[in-house]
Amino acid sequence: MPNWGGGAKCGACEKTVYHAEEIQCNGRSFHKTCFLCMACRKALDSTTVAAHESEIYCKTCYGRKYGPKGVGFGQGAGCLSTDTGDHLGLNLQQGSPKSARPSTPTNPSKFAKKIVDVDKCPRCGKSVYAAEKIMGGGKPWHKTCFRCAICGKSLESTNVTDKDGELYCKGKNYFL
């Protein structure tokens, strides 16, 4: 039957694709809205598409379905790819080795140490995280605690002095 409306047929929905909405991939035309990964249905573009014969995938799903399997292949050096892609409906080759490693961290004390070693504010005694940290007198302070111990004025690096672990306004004669 002749193609009266002009334009090619979409590789996904088989409807006519007009030039303004056309994306071409692997010699086939797609609507912009139909240019989706066949497994996870993510929107694709020229940098994220991976074509295999008449199928299009995002690079992640393509790797899961057609990429190498086993020790040393995956998303980082020396890792074991155990992602079967079952949650995406991919039929992968059977026989890929399964990891014998536990899913918990191998060194829980190292993780726990990071939580325990958070700096404490000398004024309020609570944890000081990087987003709220100001250094003064060689110690970490909360922005809200970085105040003069006597008058309560908010301090900055230009007007702060410290004595005996406390912060004070610079230039005031509090210690005469």
Side-chain angles (χ1 to χ4, degrees), residues 78-139:
C79 77
L80 173 61
S81 177
T82 59
D83 185 0
T84 62
D86 290 340
H87 65 286
L88 300 172
L90 300 175
N91 295 325
L92 301 177
Q93 301 166 357
Q94 297 300 322
S96 63
K98 298 288 181 188
S99 174
R101 288 191 258 160
S103 61
T104 57
T106 56
N107 189 355
S109 62
K110 186 176 182 181
F111 178 72
K113 183 179 178 190
K114 287 183 182 180
I115 293 172
V116 175
D117 284 348
V118 174
D119 294 325
K120 301 289 183 189
C121 177
R123 173 86 25 97
C124 69
K126 295 181 180 176
S127 297
V128 181
Y129 299 99
E132 57 189 358
K133 183 188 291 188
I134 294 180
M135 294 300 290
K139 298 176 184 171

